Amino acid sequence: MEALMSGAIARASACHLQQHSHSLLRPCLPSLTIKLHRSSFEMITNSRLMNAVASSIQPLEASTAEQYDNMSPSKEVLDMWRTADAVCFDVDSTVCIDEGIDELAEFCGVGKAVEEWTSRAMDGSVTFQEALAARLSLINPSLAQLQDFLEKRPPRISPGMAELVKKLKAKSTVVYLVSGGFRQMINPVASILEIPLRNIFANQLLFGDSGEFSGFDKNEPTSRSGGKAIAVQQIRKARGYKTLVMIGDGATDLEARQPGGADSFICYGGVQLREAVAGKADWLILNFEDLINSLD
């Protein structure tokens, strides 16, 4: 974590060199590694900030409970959660309270248009790759803009997430971050939660020699619809996990629950409650306290 918090930016070309020999379980080095200052991380742990975040996303649990019959897990689902030897978390609107690409878009002055595409992608009304390409075309971020964004907008971790990850790790449960977002923006999140960078499976922003935006790595499975499911399947196959659980808020997270992939899908609706996804979940939660307490 000290290494991540000190220094500036290191470039690497591993993604370009490995495009034809890409292995999902040997994720390539980011084309840039953002080094954040300690003060940025201290902002995340500020108690007043976290209290404000927690109060801003408090759901109407009583009214939601009337709509859904999956807010109390079955014995089978609860047993899978308690005995899982691996848990894969979505990042945007799950591990973090924001949609990272929306935050970057707002920072670059095109927030409204990009937010609409994000909503359509998460609801499953357009393909993920279509929405990803459209959003990045609108944002068109330079390397300098991305660096500036990460320095000024440190990650905002969802209430209870740090405690949940700590508790899972104490049980020897391996934690992964599987996201349609970008490695450059997820590396700081992983470092805050002390999740190994090798356990990140996400997309990669690409930049030219002059720092101009040149696209994203289309070889990453998470860059297309069904990509999270492929990532989870390959994680499980390579590591031989007996029980694996996926936690997220979107349609792409729900897709990970399939043979050879996640055994169960837990929908986190504490930030965004997407009806089409929540109703199909094995377990719908509105705060991470439910998961933390169920591990006792």
Side-chain angles (χ1 to χ4, degrees):
M1 187 168 173
E2 288 295 325
L4 190 68
M5 292 190 293
S6 61
I9 296 179
R11 295 175 183 263
S13 58
C15 283
H16 298 282
L17 296 175
Q18 295 179 10
Q19 282 187 352
H20 299 292
S21 61
H22 175 79
S23 169
L24 178 66
L25 292 174
R26 294 193 301 274
C28 57
L29 293 173
S31 58
L32 70 98
T33 301
I34 300 297
K35 316 292 188 177
L36 299 180
H37 299 292
R38 182 183 301 274
S39 60
S40 295
F41 288 97
E42 289 174 347
M43 288 175 64
I44 301 304
T45 57
N46 181 281
S47 60
R48 285 183 296 177
L49 172 62
M50 292 311 296
N51 287 339
V53 169
S55 61
S56 69
I57 64 173
Q58 286 300 313
L60 299 175
E61 298 197 24
S63 60
T64 302
E66 294 175 359
Q67 291 180 268
Y68 299 96
D69 60 4
N70 56 352
M71 294 191 68
S72 294
S74 66
K75 182 181 184 303
E76 180 183 10
V77 170
L78 188 58
D79 286 345
M80 280 192 286
W81 166 243
R82 288 173 170 168
T83 61
D85 40 13
V87 176
C88 295
F89 285 95
D90 172 43
V91 176
D92 296 326
S93 295
T94 300
V95 171
C96 295
I97 70 168
D98 306 305
E99 288 286 335
I101 194 168
D102 290 349
E103 292 294 302
L104 177 61
E106 188 274 330
F107 186 81
C108 294
V110 290
K112 185 72 173 178
V114 168
E115 187 176 341
E116 292 174 358
W117 275 101
T118 297
S119 179
R120 294 172 65 188
M122 292 302 98
D123 288 338
S125 60
V126 296
T127 64
F128 183 80
Q129 57 266 51
E130 179 184 0
L132 182 61
R135 289 178 292 177
L136 287 176
S137 177
L138 287 167
I139 301 171
N140 193 31
S142 68
L143 184 61
Q145 282 178 307
L146 179 61
Q147 178 189 8
D148 193 31
F149 167 77
L150 289 174
E151 290 177 346
K152 293 178 178 177
R153 301 279 186 90
R156 296 195 294 168
I157 308 299
S158 292
M161 176 53 60
E163 182 182 353
L164 177 57
V165 170
K166 183 177 180 180
K167 202 159 189 175
L168 287 170
K169 291 167 67 176
K171 289 168 54 65
S172 298
T173 302
V174 184
V175 176
Y176 292 88
L177 301 178
V178 182
S179 174
F182 302 101
R183 295 178 188 274
Q184 291 96 331
M185 299 166 68
I186 296 172
N187 284 352
V189 176
S191 294
I192 292 170
L193 297 174
E194 298 183 352
I195 296 171
L197 297 186
R198 65 178 178 273
N199 287 7
I200 299 174
F201 296 90
N203 292 313
Q204 182 77 23
L205 292 173
L206 303 176
F207 298 91
D209 293 337
S210 300
E212 75 278 10
F213 175 66
S214 61
F216 60 95
D217 186 354
K218 296 180 181 179
N219 291 313
E220 294 284 0
T222 50
S223 69
R224 52 189 180 270
S225 296
K228 284 188 181 180
I230 294 173
V232 171
Q233 286 174 332
Q234 294 194 22
I235 288 170
R236 182 168 189 166
K237 182 178 180 180
R239 307 302 185 206
Y241 295 125
K242 183 178 179 181
T243 305
L244 187 151
V245 174
M246 180 75 202
I247 301 176
D249 71 297
T252 56
D253 306 308
L254 175 62
E255 290 175 342
R257 185 190 60 194
Q258 58 179 271
D263 294 287
S264 66
F265 168 62
I266 299 175
C267 178
Y268 174 62
V271 177
Q272 295 285 343
L273 184 60
R274 309 181 196 280
E275 294 184 6
V277 176
K280 297 177 182 177
D282 296 297
W283 186 3
L284 170 62
I285 61 168
L286 301 178
N287 62 77
F288 287 117
E289 289 298 319
D290 292 342
L291 298 184
I292 293 169
N293 294 336
S294 67
L295 291 173
D296 292 331

